[in-house]
Amino acid sequence: MEASKRTVDWANTVCLASDSLCPADLLEEVMSAPECAPFGPVHHYLVGATLLACTRNAMGTEALPAQLAELERRSNAVPGGVCAHWGICGAAISCGMALSVLLENAPLKPEGWSDAQLMVADIAEKIAKAGAPRCCKRDSRIAVRVATGWFNKLLGTDLVLPGGNPTCGVSSRNEACLTTGCPYF
Protein backbone atom coordinates (compact mmCIF):
# COMPACT_ATOMS: atom_id res chain seq x y z
CA MET A 1 0.00 0.00 0.00
CA GLU A 2 2.99 2.29 0.23
CA ALA A 3 2.37 3.55 -3.32
CA SER A 4 -0.96 4.89 -2.05
CA LYS A 5 0.57 6.93 0.80
CA ARG A 6 -0.55 10.17 -0.86
CA THR A 7 -4.15 8.89 -0.91
CA VAL A 8 -3.94 7.81 2.73
CA ASP A 9 -2.58 11.20 3.77
CA TRP A 10 -5.30 12.99 1.84
CA ALA A 11 -7.99 10.67 3.25
CA ASN A 12 -6.71 11.32 6.77
CA THR A 13 -7.12 15.06 6.23
CA VAL A 14 -10.70 14.53 5.03
CA CYS A 15 -11.53 12.12 7.88
CA LEU A 16 -10.05 14.35 10.57
CA ALA A 17 -12.05 17.35 9.30
CA SER A 18 -15.32 15.45 8.81
CA ASP A 19 -18.35 15.80 11.05
CA SER A 20 -20.31 13.10 9.19
CA LEU A 21 -22.24 10.33 10.90
CA CYS A 22 -22.59 8.43 7.60
CA PRO A 23 -19.55 6.26 6.83
CA ALA A 24 -20.94 5.44 3.37
CA ASP A 25 -21.13 9.12 2.42
CA LEU A 26 -17.64 9.78 3.77
CA LEU A 27 -16.35 6.75 1.86
CA GLU A 28 -17.85 8.16 -1.36
CA GLU A 29 -16.08 11.44 -0.71
CA VAL A 30 -12.66 9.83 -0.38
CA MET A 31 -13.19 7.23 -3.14
CA SER A 32 -14.34 9.83 -5.67
CA ALA A 33 -11.22 11.96 -5.27
CA PRO A 34 -8.68 11.93 -8.09
CA GLU A 35 -6.11 10.77 -5.53
CA CYS A 36 -7.96 7.46 -5.16
CA ALA A 37 -7.18 4.65 -7.59
CA PRO A 38 -10.20 2.76 -8.94
CA PHE A 39 -8.89 -0.53 -7.52
CA GLY A 40 -6.23 -1.73 -5.16
CA PRO A 41 -5.14 -2.04 -1.56
CA VAL A 42 -5.77 1.59 -0.64
CA HIS A 43 -9.39 0.50 -0.16
CA HIS A 44 -8.17 -1.77 2.64
CA TYR A 45 -7.48 1.45 4.51
CA LEU A 46 -10.25 3.78 3.33
CA VAL A 47 -13.18 1.68 4.52
CA GLY A 48 -11.92 1.44 8.09
CA ALA A 49 -10.82 5.08 8.14
CA THR A 50 -14.32 6.30 7.32
CA LEU A 51 -15.81 4.06 10.00
CA LEU A 52 -13.31 5.35 12.57
CA ALA A 53 -13.98 8.98 11.65
CA CYS A 54 -17.75 8.68 11.84
CA THR A 55 -17.52 6.73 15.09
CA ARG A 56 -15.36 9.53 16.52
CA ASN A 57 -18.06 11.99 15.48
CA ALA A 58 -20.78 9.90 17.12
CA MET A 59 -18.86 9.24 20.34
CA GLY A 60 -16.90 12.47 20.70
CA THR A 61 -13.52 10.87 21.32
CA GLU A 62 -10.19 12.54 20.60
CA ALA A 63 -8.28 9.37 19.69
CA LEU A 64 -8.86 9.50 15.91
CA PRO A 65 -5.31 10.47 14.83
CA ALA A 66 -3.82 7.54 16.78
CA GLN A 67 -6.56 5.20 15.56
CA LEU A 68 -5.95 6.17 11.92
CA ALA A 69 -2.21 5.63 12.38
CA GLU A 70 -2.85 2.16 13.82
CA LEU A 71 -5.28 1.33 11.02
CA GLU A 72 -2.69 2.41 8.45
CA ARG A 73 -0.07 0.21 10.09
CA ARG A 74 -2.39 -2.79 10.05
CA SER A 75 -3.73 -2.21 6.55
CA ASN A 76 -0.19 -2.06 5.17
CA ALA A 77 0.00 -5.78 5.97
CA VAL A 78 -2.99 -6.58 3.72
CA PRO A 79 -1.73 -7.02 0.14
CA GLY A 80 -3.56 -6.30 -3.07
CA GLY A 81 -5.40 -9.34 -4.41
CA VAL A 82 -6.06 -10.64 -0.91
CA CYS A 83 -9.62 -11.50 -1.96
CA ALA A 84 -8.35 -14.09 -4.41
CA HIS A 85 -5.18 -15.16 -2.63
CA TRP A 86 -6.43 -15.37 0.96
CA GLY A 87 -10.16 -15.82 0.35
CA ILE A 88 -11.30 -12.71 2.21
CA CYS A 89 -11.93 -9.23 0.84
CA GLY A 90 -9.70 -6.44 2.10
CA ALA A 91 -12.73 -4.19 2.60
CA ALA A 92 -14.18 -6.72 5.06
CA ILE A 93 -10.79 -6.97 6.75
CA SER A 94 -10.68 -3.18 7.00
CA CYS A 95 -13.97 -3.15 8.90
CA GLY A 96 -12.62 -5.80 11.26
CA MET A 97 -9.43 -3.82 11.79
CA ALA A 98 -11.38 -0.64 12.57
CA LEU A 99 -13.66 -2.38 15.07
CA SER A 100 -10.68 -4.15 16.64
CA VAL A 101 -8.87 -0.81 17.03
CA LEU A 102 -11.92 0.70 18.72
CA LEU A 103 -12.43 -2.30 21.00
CA GLU A 104 -8.69 -2.43 21.71
CA ASN A 105 -8.74 -6.11 20.79
CA ALA A 106 -5.63 -8.14 21.47
CA PRO A 107 -4.76 -11.75 20.58
CA LEU A 108 -5.40 -12.99 24.12
CA LYS A 109 -8.28 -10.64 25.03
CA PRO A 110 -11.56 -12.59 24.76
CA GLU A 111 -13.88 -9.52 24.89
CA GLY A 112 -14.59 -8.18 21.43
CA TRP A 113 -12.81 -10.96 19.56
CA SER A 114 -15.92 -12.83 18.47
CA ASP A 115 -17.77 -9.58 17.71
CA ALA A 116 -15.19 -8.57 15.12
CA GLN A 117 -15.12 -12.10 13.67
CA LEU A 118 -18.91 -12.24 13.33
CA MET A 119 -19.05 -8.82 11.72
CA VAL A 120 -16.34 -9.69 9.18
CA ALA A 121 -18.09 -13.00 8.41
CA ASP A 122 -21.36 -11.16 7.76
CA ILE A 123 -19.63 -8.63 5.51
CA ALA A 124 -17.71 -11.36 3.66
CA GLU A 125 -20.94 -13.23 2.98
CA LYS A 126 -22.60 -10.13 1.52
CA ILE A 127 -19.56 -9.39 -0.65
CA ALA A 128 -19.36 -13.01 -1.84
CA LYS A 129 -23.02 -12.94 -2.82
CA ALA A 130 -22.41 -9.77 -4.89
CA GLY A 131 -21.16 -12.14 -7.56
CA ALA A 132 -17.81 -11.18 -9.03
CA PRO A 133 -14.22 -10.29 -8.23
CA ARG A 134 -12.26 -7.16 -9.11
CA CYS A 135 -14.45 -4.37 -7.83
CA CYS A 136 -12.92 -2.69 -4.82
CA LYS A 137 -15.44 0.16 -4.96
CA ARG A 138 -18.50 -2.14 -4.88
CA ASP A 139 -17.04 -4.30 -2.13
CA SER A 140 -16.04 -1.24 -0.09
CA ARG A 141 -19.57 0.13 -0.39
CA ILE A 142 -21.09 -3.17 0.71
CA ALA A 143 -18.63 -3.50 3.60
CA VAL A 144 -19.17 -0.04 5.06
CA ARG A 145 -22.96 -0.34 4.85
CA VAL A 146 -23.02 -3.71 6.63
CA ALA A 147 -20.45 -2.57 9.21
CA THR A 148 -22.53 0.51 10.07
CA GLY A 149 -25.23 -1.66 11.64
CA TRP A 150 -22.67 -3.70 13.54
CA PHE A 151 -20.93 -0.58 14.88
CA ASN A 152 -24.27 0.80 16.08
CA LYS A 153 -25.13 -2.47 17.80
CA LEU A 154 -21.73 -3.11 19.38
CA LEU A 155 -20.66 0.44 20.21
CA GLY A 156 -24.01 2.11 20.81
CA THR A 157 -23.35 4.70 18.10
CA ASP A 158 -25.95 6.38 15.91
CA LEU A 159 -24.17 6.06 12.58
CA VAL A 160 -26.51 6.51 9.63
CA LEU A 161 -26.89 4.96 6.20
CA PRO A 162 -27.27 7.04 3.05
CA GLY A 163 -30.68 7.55 1.49
CA GLY A 164 -29.70 5.85 -1.76
CA ASN A 165 -26.93 4.26 -3.74
CA PRO A 166 -24.25 6.19 -5.61
CA THR A 167 -23.57 5.60 -9.28
CA CYS A 168 -20.15 4.11 -9.95
CA GLY A 169 -17.70 6.38 -11.71
CA VAL A 170 -15.18 3.70 -12.66
CA SER A 171 -17.31 0.95 -14.20
CA SER A 172 -15.96 1.70 -17.67
CA ARG A 173 -12.44 1.02 -16.36
CA ASN A 174 -13.37 -2.41 -14.98
CA GLU A 175 -13.45 -5.27 -17.50
CA ALA A 176 -15.07 -7.48 -14.84
CA CYS A 177 -17.89 -5.01 -14.09
CA LEU A 178 -21.26 -6.64 -13.51
CA THR A 179 -22.92 -3.58 -15.14
CA THR A 180 -26.66 -3.81 -14.43
CA GLY A 181 -26.01 -6.69 -12.01
CA CYS A 182 -24.36 -4.24 -9.61
CA PRO A 183 -26.45 -1.99 -7.38
CA TYR A 184 -23.96 0.83 -7.97
CA PHE A 185 -23.85 0.74 -11.81
Side-chain angles (χ1 to χ4, degrees):
M1 191 167 93
E2 204 54 46
S4 303
K5 181 69 174 146
R6 185 177 56 139
T7 305
V8 168
D9 291 343
W10 179 84
N12 283 346
T13 300
V14 173
C15 287
L16 288 166
S18 174
D19 62 359
S20 178
L21 294 176
C22 182
D25 285 347
L26 187 54
L27 179 67
E28 289 305 317
E29 182 178 348
V30 295
M31 287 196 317
S32 67
E35 293 88 349
C36 187
F39 313 105
V42 71
H43 295 83
H44 305 166
Y45 175 77
L46 297 178
V47 174
T50 60
L51 287 163
L52 289 174
C54 292
T55 300
R56 180 270 320 257
N57 297 338
M59 298 178 83
T61 64
E62 298 298 321
L64 185 58
Q67 292 169 343
L68 290 172
E70 179 59 20
L71 179 69
E72 182 179 0
R73 185 188 70 73
R74 293 179 190 196
S75 65
N76 280 331
V78 182
V82 69
C83 54
H85 296 242
W86 291 1
I88 182 75
C89 176
I93 294 170
S94 185
C95 296
M97 289 186 293
L99 183 60
S100 294
V101 166
L102 288 166
L103 295 175
E104 299 178 353
N105 282 356
L108 298 178
K109 180 184 170 194
E111 301 82 20
W113 182 87
S114 62
D115 293 329
Q117 299 289 326
L118 288 167
M119 179 189 67
V120 170
D122 186 27
I123 294 166
E125 178 184 17
K126 305 281 189 310
I127 289 171
K129 288 182 176 178
R134 179 96 166 106
C135 191
C136 298
K137 302 272 190 242
R138 179 200 62 225
D139 295 347
S140 294
R141 289 174 174 131
I142 292 168
V144 80
R145 283 165 170 75
V146 175
T148 296
W150 281 89
F151 274 55
N152 286 340
K153 179 176 124 181
L154 297 171
L155 302 172
T157 55
D158 291 318
L159 302 179
V160 297
L161 291 169
N165 286 335
T167 300
C168 183
V170 299
S171 60
S172 63
R173 297 167 64 187
N174 183 358
E175 294 175 12
C177 181
L178 295 174
T179 64
T180 58
C182 177
Y184 308 107
F185 181 72

